[in-house]
Amino acid sequence: MKQKIRTAIFPVAGLGTRFLPATKATPKELLPVIDTPLIQYAIDEARDAGIERLVFVSHPSKTAIERHVMDDAVLRRELKERGKGALARELAQTALCPVEDDVVFTMQEEQLGLGHAVLCARDHVLPGPVAVLLPDDLILGGQGCLSEMAEAYARSEAGHMVATMTVAPEDTRKYGILSVTGQSGALLSADGMVEKPEPEVAPSREAVVGRYVLDPSIFAALETQGTGAGGEIQLTDAIARSTGATGLCGLRFSGTRFDCGSKAGMLRAILHLASSDPEYADVLQEHFGAAPRPRSQAA
Ligand code: UTP
């Protein structure tokens, strides 16, 4: 019987260079999709999946993330005094509270890569497998990607699970691609991953996106992981190295993923949400003639 996934790690220390100058003073993870910052979606997804402890791996220059994530009693009082009690209650519901929630903020002093950021969380995780959520991969629709993964993980035999989506052949070079060995419904068995392969050598069209459930042995693998692509300590390299011992599988999640780390992906996410909200029908009509229809994508 598999152990429960009790901890979620949110690596949020990155520089966010693709969004400069917006990310000069505002962390990428706080960029809003209309009115909700990316980090909020990831937190809600983790809470829906029954996660007990949330570990944020941040950077000393990104203190605004903690200010957003944690409850702000002064702001709520101010809102109430101004007759905006409903807004104050809404904020209280989405914020994390140090008394009721198990929240840890730890720092990655130097941005040495995603694998290194996950390693920084090591001393703060609860026993058992850990979830890793990259907030700039926004997954909308479906039951919640991490909830789906947690259910599938309990049934699977593999120690590591990655979320995957099927991409067009010419797009394999943009993603880590799973080497699939078998399939049972949405669950894919795999024996490895290949980083950004050309279409002709890609082992499949199953692209890995920013949701992982990892066996705790990942930390030992990360400790001895050298630098990889871009001179960074890569999480995918450590997963690939420890796959022989723990096993690896993929889950084709049912929602739609938006790459909100890129400007085009962020725009797609905003249009997707706006086009399903009657509040913006006039604006879209005005601008496009007809409101764009929501569609699946993989920007
Ligand atoms: P990205 O690969 O998108 O890198 O990180 P980035 O630095 O944030 O953005 P660009 O590419 O320069 O525009 C994916 C996730 O991993 C975190 C980021 O904060 C983001 O949530 N990350 C990345 C870290 O926490 N530490 C790192 O050293 C690198």
Side-chain angles (χ1 to χ4, degrees):
M1 172 86 175
K2 281 263 188 74
Q3 276 182 290
K4 191 174 175 290
I5 310 160
R6 301 174 62 196
T7 309
I9 300 170
F10 301 86
V12 293
L15 287 166
T17 54
R18 283 171 292 165
F19 256 109
L20 282 169
T23 45
K24 205 173 149 203
T26 306
K28 173 173 73 174
E29 298 77 8
L30 292 186
L31 295 180
V33 186
I34 304 184
D35 61 356
T36 304
L38 289 169
I39 190 74
Q40 192 64 55
Y41 286 99
I43 292 170
D44 294 348
E45 188 182 320
R47 285 170 124 186
D48 284 347
I51 292 294
E52 288 169 47
R53 175 173 295 176
L54 299 95
V55 181
F56 296 87
V57 181
S58 188
H59 185 266
S61 66
K62 297 175 88 173
T63 49
I65 295 184
E66 189 162 351
R67 284 213 313 281
H68 170 79
V69 163
M70 300 310 290
D71 184 36
D72 185 342
V74 177
L75 173 62
R76 283 195 289 108
R77 200 173 323 120
E78 180 86 22
L79 286 169
K80 270 189 212 148
E81 281 167 14
R82 291 171 186 235
K84 295 183 186 253
L87 196 51
R89 280 192 294 280
E90 223 176 276
L91 285 183
Q93 266 167 20
T94 51
L96 299 173
C97 157
V99 184
E100 289 162 21
D101 297 296
D102 187 352
V103 189
V104 177
F105 271 85
T106 189
M107 294 298 142
Q108 183 191 26
E109 301 286 337
E110 230 187 316
Q111 289 109 331
L112 299 177
L114 175 59
H116 180 258
V118 171
L119 184 59
C120 290
R122 178 187 204 155
D123 292 342
H124 307 287
V125 302
L126 297 168
V130 297
V132 176
L133 294 93
L134 307 190
D136 51 352
D137 264 344
L138 174 63
I139 301 180
L140 298 172
Q143 80 176 78
C145 184
L146 191 61
S147 297
E148 265 181 279
M149 290 177 84
E151 278 179 26
Y153 187 76
R155 294 195 312 270
S156 86
E157 281 169 17
H160 296 327
M161 172 180 275
V162 292
T164 71
M165 63 182 190
T166 312
V167 295
E170 62 274 20
D171 286 337
T172 58
R173 59 171 72 94
K174 297 182 192 158
Y175 297 91
I177 298 290
L178 202 62
S179 173
V180 179
T181 53
Q183 181 177 356
S184 165
L187 193 64
L188 308 168
S189 45
D191 61 3
M193 277 189 281
V194 183
E195 203 46 50
K196 302 186 173 66
E198 290 300 318
E200 49 281 7
V201 293
S204 76
R205 291 203 283 126
E206 293 304 314
V208 176
V209 306
R211 299 291 183 279
Y212 310 81
V213 176
L214 301 171
D215 182 86
S217 61
I218 192 67
F219 294 112
L222 282 168
E223 212 162 39
T224 55
Q225 186 62 51
T227 51
E232 296 194 334
I233 298 174
Q234 299 288 353
L235 181 61
T236 46
D237 291 344
I239 295 174
R241 265 179 61 231
S242 53
T243 284
T246 60
L248 173 67
C249 65
L251 183 79
R252 273 191 191 143
F253 57 93
S254 58
T256 302
R257 174 260 191 183
F258 297 89
D259 174 11
C260 290
S262 77
K263 287 175 264 194
M266 175 64 100
L267 183 59
R268 282 193 176 99
I270 291 170
L271 288 173
H272 176 91
L273 286 182
S275 61
S276 48
D277 188 336
E279 194 181 334
Y280 305 110
D282 287 351
V283 181
L284 295 177
Q285 174 79 35
E286 209 174 278
H287 196 79
F288 294 103
R293 275 179 292 121
R295 58 182 279 268
S296 295
Q297 64 80 53

